[in-house]
Amino acid sequence: MDAKMIQEKLRAATIAKIRNYPCNNIRASEIGHPCERYIVLSITNWEDKKPIEPDLQNIFDLGNAIEAEVIRRVKEAGFEVLTAKKNFKIEKPLITGREDIMLQGPDNGELFPCEIKGLSPMAFDKLNSVDDMLRSPSYYIRKYPAQLQIYEYN
């Protein structure tokens, strides 16, 4: 066994996880995408979409692991965290989604939907307002406000 063989086996395991899934509606995480054509084609031609690269799958996997740590830290800070994934559906237009967590307000028990995102420190330090997100050079950051607004709408 050598490092190259280990690397190849890890890459093969990552590739085995990559799938394109049918999409028949707008997803909350995509609603803020800057290209309407992309959104339409992701529904009408989802099977033609090029699968993501293994490196991006690894980033997504790391994000899922980090999410558990963020939830632990938020609880440790004294917040009431509801982690049951609640799927929602808005009928017109058909939009579905699921927030990462809900924080419960200490005063009146009001629930606040939260989305946990992993960003590089250089990107994070530039985000101090919704306008900063909307003006970000990264399209995926520009999607965040619309995603959170859909959670609030629901």
Side-chain angles (χ1 to χ4, degrees), residues 74-105:
V74 169
K75 287 179 179 179
E76 190 177 77
F79 290 98
E80 183 70 29
V81 177
L82 305 176
T83 57
K85 305 277 186 169
K86 184 187 102 186
N87 294 312
F88 68 83
K89 180 167 127 179
I90 298 169
E91 292 293 338
K92 292 185 180 181
L94 184 56
I95 302 169
T96 60
R98 178 179 67 213
E99 66 274 339
D100 288 337
I101 63 173
M102 297 286 277
L103 289 183
Q104 192 162 22

Side-chain angles (χ1 to χ4, degrees), residues 119-152:
L119 295 171
S120 75
M122 291 188 312
F124 181 79
D125 289 345
K126 294 176 183 173
L127 301 177
N128 297 299
S129 69
V130 172
D131 283 337
D132 291 344
M133 289 183 211
L134 293 171
R135 291 188 181 114
S136 172
S138 301
Y139 81 90
Y140 58 90
I141 293 174
R142 292 194 307 266
K143 295 187 318 179
Y144 297 165
Q147 182 179 6
L148 289 169
Q149 285 179 330
I150 287 295
Y151 294 161
E152 286 292 325

Side-chain angles (χ1 to χ4, degrees), residues 24-109:
N24 59 9
N25 58 276
I26 301 171
R27 293 181 174 138
S29 60
E30 293 292 345
I31 199 160
H33 197 286
C35 179
E36 290 178 14
R37 184 176 181 183
Y38 172 87
I39 295 171
V40 170
L41 290 174
S42 72
I43 297 168
T44 60
N45 294 66
W46 65 268
E47 66 278 352
D48 295 332
K49 185 176 180 181
K50 181 181 171 190
I52 62 171
E53 293 293 323
D55 289 344
L56 185 55
Q57 180 63 49
N58 286 330
I59 290 170
F60 291 157
D61 291 345
L62 182 58
N64 290 333
I66 289 171
E67 184 176 315
E69 175 62 13
V70 168
I71 291 169
R72 185 192 68 75
R73 289 181 181 200
V74 169
K75 287 179 179 179
E76 190 177 77
F79 290 98
E80 183 70 29
V81 177
L82 305 176
T83 57
K85 305 277 186 169
K86 184 187 102 186
N87 294 312
F88 68 83
K89 180 167 127 179
I90 298 169
E91 292 293 338
K92 292 185 180 181
L94 184 56
I95 302 169
T96 60
R98 178 179 67 213
E99 66 274 339
D100 288 337
I101 63 173
M102 297 286 277
L103 289 183
Q104 192 162 22
D107 300 328
N108 58 7

Side-chain angles (χ1 to χ4, degrees), residues 3-40:
K4 185 174 181 172
M5 193 258 307
I6 293 169
Q7 184 179 22
E8 288 171 357
K9 288 181 89 58
L10 288 170
R11 183 173 175 82
T14 299
I15 290 170
K17 291 192 280 187
I18 298 171
R19 304 261 187 288
N20 280 344
Y21 293 98
C23 182
N24 59 9
N25 58 276
I26 301 171
R27 293 181 174 138
S29 60
E30 293 292 345
I31 199 160
H33 197 286
C35 179
E36 290 178 14
R37 184 176 181 183
Y38 172 87
I39 295 171
V40 170

